[in-house]
Amino acid sequence: MRLSTRLVLVVLVCFVPVVGMQIYTEASVYRQRQTELNDAALRQVELANADLTSIIDSAKQIGGVIGTFPEVMNLTVVGPGDVGPVVADPVVADPGLAGAGPVADCNERLAALHRSLSAYRFFAVTDAAGRPICASSNPLIAPQTAAPAWIAPLLGEPGSDIGEYATAPDIEGPFLPIGVPLPGERGLIVAALDLRWLSRHLQETQLERPSRLPNATLALADRRGTVIARFPEAEQWTGRPLPDWVRPLITGARPTTGVVSSVDGGRELAAFIPGSLPPVGLMAVEFLDRSTAMADTETTVWRNGGLMAAAVLVALALAWLFGRRFLDRPAEALIAAADRWRNGDLHARAEIAGSAGAFSDLAGAFNTMAATLEPREQAQRQQADRLTALVAERSRELSSSNNRLQVEIAEREKTETALNHAQKLQAVGQLAGGISHDFNNMLTTVLGSLELMERRVATVPQRWTEADAERLRTLITRAIAAVGRGADLSSGLLRFARRPRADARPTDVNRLITDLLTLATSALGRRVRLVTELEEAPWPIHVDPSQVEAAVLNLCLNARDAMPEGGTLTIRTANTMVTAGQTAPQMAAPGLPADDALPPGPYVSIAIIDTGTGMTPEVQRRAFDPFFSTKGDAGSGLGLSQVQGMVRQAGGTVRLRSTPGSGTEITLLLPRANVEATAATLAPHAAAPVRHKLPAMTVMVVDDDQAVRQVTVEMLRDLGCEVLQAPGGAEALALLAKTGKPPDILLVDYAMPGMNGLTLARRLREDGLTVPIGMVTGYAELAEVDAGESPLDGLLRKPFTIDELQALVVRLAARGRPRSNIVRLPVPQRG
């Protein structure tokens, strides 16, 4: 191969990374533009959906306000020609009343409201069958024997409060009916949204939005896919169904984007929000011609590619011309002379015509070398042999050093990976604690409201039958049980989020496994079937419950990973007696004593059995080695070694039995706890306190969550207390300074903005307040010891029942510190 050709290849190879980088850059720019378009389209449709949700909520609020009008509340028809106050009877439409009395008052009130709200076609009140009784438009209350067709979607399943695209005789233009139930489900209040107004509103918001995509089409549709508003071309498309090629998108479960083929074969970028999301029954979709949106980017990509190709071709042509003139011709002359020297003609000389630069010098050197080649050839060969030996020896030394360095690098990377994984687990724990705090606040609101409803069931009007009250109590009991399950899940997250502290105590293993089931079920997913086989009367074990929970949960997650296609996970507990010299078929974990080395005595076993892929003998031998993992980068290799350390510290052992393809069984053997200590620790809980009114006292509630604060206030009032409330620490200080007289008890939340509960309590103690202060919190990181030290006198975890709140108040009242007569607190400055 000629040197010019090689030079061309070298130049071409040099251009390969440049061309590759250019291609990668252009592809990245293209993908980035696609991503930007997807994100922008999804943001636009989310903004439109949020605007639509706001409009629907406003319509429902207007319907709720209409329900409070006296003209509507006093509207009822008991029989033909009789009008009376609202009772439990259903509303019955009587067209004969449309011109006088309560119906006329209702018509006038709705008409006045309609005149002030141009976004609505009409407002109407119907009976339970959907027949209009009164309305802002007279044609709607003409004598009818059946409900109009447009109201049928509002009379369906519960929650069908948004209708469909509709028109009506004598009503100008299309509308969207939105229903709000009358109190007692006696009928409906209907607000008909003007779809022409909705289209104009959609146009105005799109034109005012600076981030709107050019040439984009935004459409809103009802549950049947009928367009209720569109921008642009609203008049042409309102009332028409969405194209068939769009319908597969709008049946999804979450907002997303996609590329679809239109009728004309073009590629359309579509971003949509399905009707299953609020507002339920309505959907939003935005279309964008993909070829038009990407035209500028595609033009730039092709232009840059053409320029790069032209530059490469020019460079290759110049390299070939240079190689022919300055490389090929001098090289051919040197090769001809070398052939003569090889044949023994040492008198031959290389002749380079013209000025060839380096090749001319090279030819002169070769000519000189030929003159002295014979006597120096031997000396050069010997020197070359010595150099070769030295290079080989040095190469071996460098290879050995490099191998050691590679091993050290691999070990360091493995250690860094494990540390990174541990930091991720710590972050997950902190996240779980934060989620549990907010979740406990919500559970507190729901649980408190349900309990207050339960207490008021007994005071319902006498016209309620006992069956009605019993049904309501059943619903409340079921809801309270659901809150209890949520609280169990939150408690599991709290235990997982807290930092472990050594707290070994006698523990009921069955209760521990049962409490863990909620969290384990959530973690395992639906593909894994969880089965428990628990000892009927298990012996107690002396362990730290949180460590055992972590170990069992770790083994459950390993079992889940071993069953990628699903399977059965069994948790079994049993009482086991180990006698001297006893051996078991299971293999003891490496580094732990075998069964015959265990001290004889009673033990409790916890077995985790899966139907997964199993382990090979090699994996079983290394299963408990630190940093050994079969999951690659997804695992730290520390899980089983930590389980081994926990069990060993408790004085037990671990058994492992596995068959490839059949599953794995890991058994934890833990010694039985001392009987006397167990009896004291596992004593039955005291009975729940009897609900009764508390002695007259004043309680101040400080909580930044308004829902939690209000339900706590209602509970205390229901227990007979006078209640003061404040949304934060600064407001509480101001209220105490204003009233002058301190309350009997203070209940404060822990996690509040600005000033948390502990800071507020210390501030009050420093200012001389001596009344009992209780902490009510759902925060995961608040340790129990914090509530046992000054300045606090008690702690109540969220969510709590009214009985638990009553018990806390009773304890605080009984523990009451000496109280000062007057509290003088500086009013906090706001700024």
Side-chain angles (χ1 to χ4, degrees):
M1 182 182 295
R2 292 184 175 183
L3 291 178
S4 58
T5 304
R6 294 183 181 183
L7 179 61
V8 170
L9 291 178
V10 169
V11 173
L12 183 61
V13 170
C14 292
F15 269 105
V16 166
V18 177
V19 173
M21 183 61 69
Q22 180 69 20
I23 294 174
Y24 176 79
T25 301
E26 298 300 333
S28 299
V29 170
Y30 192 84
R31 288 194 299 270
Q32 182 179 0
R33 178 57 179 165
Q34 285 183 322
T35 302
E36 290 174 352
L37 287 175
N38 290 341
D39 294 343
L42 189 58
R43 282 196 301 271
Q44 294 297 321
V45 78
E46 286 175 345
L47 290 173
N49 188 71
D51 189 29
L52 180 60
T53 301
S54 176
I55 294 173
I56 297 299
D57 291 343
S58 298
K60 293 179 182 179
Q61 292 174 2
I62 293 173
V65 172
I66 293 175
T68 63
F69 289 170
E71 293 84 353
V72 175
M73 297 177 65
N74 295 330
L75 182 65
T76 184
V77 177
V78 180
D82 295 330
V83 179
V86 177
V87 292
D89 301 319
V91 176
V92 180
D94 186 354
L97 296 176
V103 174
D105 295 340
C106 178
N107 291 339
E108 293 177 0
R109 186 62 183 271
L110 294 182
L113 178 63
H114 178 238
R115 285 192 293 273
S116 63
L117 299 173
S118 62
Y120 299 90
R121 280 295 178 190
F122 62 83
F123 298 100
V125 179
T126 75
D127 61 10
R131 294 170 296 185
I133 299 172
C134 68
S136 61
S137 177
N138 287 332
L140 288 173
I141 56 174
Q144 301 184 48
T145 59
W150 52 265
I151 206 171
L154 300 178
L155 302 176
E157 298 294 330
S160 302
D161 51 2
I162 302 177
E164 300 171 356
Y165 174 91
T167 58
D170 300 324
I171 299 298
E172 181 184 358
F175 57 90
L176 178 69
I178 303 167
V180 177
L182 281 170
E185 299 184 355
R186 300 178 298 114
L188 287 175
I189 299 172
V190 179
L193 183 64
D194 187 353
L195 296 185
R196 293 180 180 176
W197 174 89
L198 181 60
S199 294
R200 292 194 299 272
H201 176 76
L202 182 62
Q203 178 180 354
E204 292 172 358
T205 56
Q206 289 299 303
L207 293 177
E208 293 174 356
R209 191 164 291 148
S211 60
R212 182 176 69 89
L213 296 174
N215 301 322
T217 300
L218 179 63
L220 306 177
D222 61 13
R223 61 172 57 86
R224 293 182 178 274
T226 303
V227 177
I228 63 174
R230 188 179 189 270
F231 175 77
E233 301 177 352
E235 295 183 358
Q236 300 179 19
W237 281 91
T238 302
R240 295 173 58 183
L242 289 172
D244 293 337
W245 49 272
V246 180
R247 292 182 175 272
L249 294 178
I250 62 178
T251 58
R254 59 185 181 85
T256 187
T257 59
V259 177
V260 295
S261 298
S262 60
V263 177
D264 57 2
R267 302 289 285 173
E268 296 277 347
L269 172 64
F272 67 93
I273 295 182
S276 58
L277 299 179
V280 177
L282 300 181
M283 59 197 73
V285 59
E286 179 163 291
F287 310 102
L288 185 64
D289 184 12
R290 184 171 176 271
S291 60
T292 302
M294 296 294 294
D296 293 342
T297 302
E298 291 177 351
T299 300
T300 301
V301 169
W302 284 110
R303 183 178 64 250
N304 294 342
L307 292 176
M308 176 58 69
V312 172
L313 291 177
V314 170
L316 293 179
L318 293 176
W320 184 81
L321 292 175
F322 179 86
R324 286 296 301 164
R325 173 66 179 83
F326 297 103
L327 297 179
D328 286 348
R329 292 175 183 175
E332 290 170 356
L334 286 175
I335 291 172
D339 287 339
R340 295 176 64 184
W341 294 332
R342 183 183 56 192
N343 294 330
D345 186 5
L346 297 179
H347 298 287
R349 297 293 180 263
E351 300 294 340
I352 304 298
S355 177
F359 273 100
S360 179
D361 297 338
L362 184 61
F366 279 173
N367 292 333
T368 303
M369 179 187 64
T372 58
L373 181 62
E374 189 66 25
R376 301 179 60 182
E377 181 179 0
Q378 187 64 31
Q380 291 177 353
R381 182 179 297 112
Q382 294 175 355
Q383 182 68 17
D385 291 341
R386 289 195 297 271
L387 290 176
T388 300
L390 291 174
V391 169
E393 182 180 358
R394 185 56 179 166
S395 297
R396 286 193 298 271
E397 294 175 358
L398 290 176
S399 178
S400 177
S401 299
N402 183 62
N403 291 336
R404 290 195 301 270
L405 181 59
Q406 292 297 327
V407 171
E408 293 175 359
I409 291 174
E411 292 296 331
R412 180 173 180 178
E413 290 178 350
K414 192 172 185 179
T415 303
E416 290 177 349
T417 301
L419 178 59
N420 186 35
H421 188 69
Q423 291 172 344
K424 289 181 180 178
L425 291 179
Q426 182 180 4
V428 170
Q430 294 173 355
L431 178 61
I435 293 174
S436 297
H437 169 244
D438 294 338
F439 191 38
N440 282 333
N441 275 349
M442 294 184 287
L443 289 179
T444 299
T445 304
V446 176
L447 180 58
S449 301
L450 290 172
E451 287 206 320
L452 290 173
M453 291 171 59
E454 183 182 26
R455 292 170 67 92
R456 285 164 172 73
V457 168
T459 63
V460 297
Q462 293 183 357
R463 62 177 177 270
W464 282 39
T465 65
E466 181 60 28
D468 293 331
E470 182 60 30
R471 282 195 296 272
L472 183 55
R473 278 193 293 268
T474 300
L475 293 174
I476 294 173
T477 302
R478 188 179 304 157
I480 291 175
V483 173
R485 291 194 298 272
D488 291 341
L489 178 59
S490 178
S491 297
L493 288 173
L494 285 174
R495 289 193 300 271
F496 183 75
R498 292 186 185 126
R499 295 179 179 177
R501 295 178 295 175
D503 187 17
R505 58 180 181 270
T507 302
D508 184 342
V509 66
N510 281 1
R511 182 185 301 173
L512 184 146
I513 296 299
T514 303
D515 292 342
L516 188 61
L517 288 180
T518 300
L519 188 58
T521 303
S522 301
L524 292 175
R526 296 186 175 181
R527 289 190 175 185
V528 178
R529 176 170 167 263
L530 183 60
V531 178
T532 57
E533 299 176 2
L534 305 181
E535 174 75 27
E536 183 175 352
W539 296 327
I541 54 178
H542 191 75
V543 294
D544 183 347
S546 63
Q547 292 184 356
V548 178
E549 285 179 343
V552 174
L553 183 60
N554 194 322
L555 294 176
C556 290
L557 295 178
N558 285 349
R560 178 201 64 187
D561 295 339
M563 298 183 288
E565 302 299 328
T568 300
L569 176 63
T570 303
I571 301 179
R572 178 186 300 153
T573 61
N575 298 332
T576 303
M577 289 297 299
V578 175
T579 59
Q582 178 185 357
T583 59
Q586 291 90 339
M587 183 185 85
L592 293 177
D595 287 338
D596 57 355
L598 280 175
Y603 289 81
V604 176
S605 66
I606 305 174
I608 291 84
I609 308 167
D610 65 64
T611 58
T613 56
M615 303 182 189
T616 63
E618 175 63 24
V619 173
Q620 293 183 50
R621 282 191 294 271
R622 302 187 58 192
F624 291 89
D625 291 349
F627 303 114
F628 174 75
S629 173
T630 60
K631 303 176 186 178
D633 294 338
S636 65
L638 296 174
L640 290 180
S641 65
Q642 290 176 344
V643 172
Q644 168 186 325
M646 184 278 296
V647 174
R648 189 173 188 179
Q649 184 178 7
T653 189
V654 182
R655 295 175 179 175
L656 170 63
R657 183 174 60 184
S658 181
T659 302
S662 299
T664 301
E665 176 179 349
I666 297 180
T667 303
L668 313 182
L669 275 177
L670 298 168
R672 179 180 181 180
N674 180 272
V675 177
E676 291 76 7
T678 301
T681 304
L682 300 181
H685 298 290
V690 179
R691 296 178 181 174
H692 55 78
K693 296 289 185 179
L694 294 172
M697 64 176 68
T698 302
V699 180
M700 174 178 281
V701 178
V702 184
D703 197 314
D704 64 308
D705 191 306
Q706 181 179 0
V708 176
R709 187 175 70 251
Q710 291 297 333
V711 78
T712 306
V713 168
E714 289 297 327
M715 286 182 173
L716 291 170
R717 288 175 177 168
D718 208 57
L719 293 173
C721 299
E722 182 179 351
V723 186
L724 303 175
Q725 54 178 311
E731 291 83 353
L733 294 174
L735 182 58
L736 287 173
K738 179 180 179 181
T739 57
K741 183 180 179 180
D744 297 284
I745 292 174
L746 262 80
L747 299 180
V748 299
D749 184 28
Y750 175 70
M752 296 186 295
M755 181 186 300
N756 64 36
L758 285 176
T759 303
L760 174 61
R762 294 190 181 101
R763 172 74 178 274
L764 292 174
R765 294 300 187 212
E766 292 172 356
D767 291 331
L769 189 68
T770 58
V771 299
I773 301 177
M775 178 71 69
V776 182
T777 182
Y779 191 57
E781 292 299 327
L782 181 63
E784 298 289 345
V785 69
D786 294 337
E789 299 175 352
S790 180
L792 300 178
D793 300 286
L795 177 68
L796 181 61
R797 291 282 184 184
K798 299 177 184 178
F800 54 83
T801 65
I802 193 169
D803 292 335
E804 294 170 341
L805 179 61
Q806 177 181 349
L808 174 66
V809 173
V810 170
R811 288 198 307 272
L812 294 178
R815 188 183 301 178
R817 304 176 181 228
R819 63 182 278 175
S820 60
N821 294 326
I822 299 295
V823 178
R824 301 190 182 275
L825 298 173
V827 177
Q829 299 297 322
R830 299 182 180 271

